[in-house]
Amino acid sequence: MTDSASERRPAGELESSVLAALWAAGKPQSAAQVRAAIPQPLARTTVATLLARLHEKGVIDRNPAGRGFLYFPVEDAHGLTARRMHRELDQDGDRSVVLARFVEGLSADDEAELRRLLEGGGQ
């Protein structure tokens, strides 16, 4: 990998590619299968590191298979986004202000959808 900042990948891009490959597969995948499914040409060790990091974060899980593991996402993309939103909310001491600022930034359509959901409209 190069040291040039202009050639570095944005933070999270590779993890996103790994997750996209796991979601697209629809069934547990080995590290080799994930590596083959992602568009970036990555070293085997890089894919293994990405899978280990995602597992440590609780975003994916794994089951033993032969000498390695089969990996699978614990949530779909929407569930992962909701988890990130909760994590951000939990990091601020004043939840009320954070929620108010979030609602202020919603479009009229999103605000109406949020009201519908809060009133028991479900998904």
Side-chain angles (χ1 to χ4, degrees):
M1 188 148 129
T2 180
D3 288 334
S4 172
S6 64
E7 294 182 29
R8 289 191 177 164
R9 294 177 181 97
E13 177 185 318
L14 295 179
E15 287 184 357
S16 294
S17 291
V18 168
L19 279 170
L22 289 170
W23 285 322
K27 63 181 182 177
Q29 299 288 291
S30 67
Q33 289 170 314
V34 171
R35 182 178 177 211
I38 59 176
Q40 299 93 333
L42 299 176
R44 178 188 54 79
T45 54
T46 301
V47 173
T49 298
L50 289 165
L51 290 165
R53 286 182 184 163
L54 289 168
H55 182 258
E56 288 170 7
K57 292 178 182 181
V59 175
I60 64 173
D61 206 350
R62 64 187 185 193
N63 290 325
R67 295 186 338 181
F69 295 97
L70 292 178
Y71 297 89
F72 54 94
V74 297
E75 297 178 286
D76 63 12
H78 303 298
L80 182 58
T81 299
R83 179 195 290 213
R84 288 177 180 153
M85 292 169 68
H86 282 285
R87 187 174 60 236
E88 290 297 321
L89 185 61
D90 290 342
Q91 290 178 0
D92 196 289
D94 195 339
R95 295 173 76 90
S96 180
V97 172
V98 173
L99 288 168
R101 298 268 167 82
F102 176 76
V103 171
E104 288 170 5
L106 292 175
S107 69
D109 289 343
D110 286 343
E111 186 175 345
E113 179 64 12
L114 182 58
R115 285 185 193 284
R116 186 186 72 76
L117 291 168
L118 289 172
E119 292 169 357
Q123 295 181 9

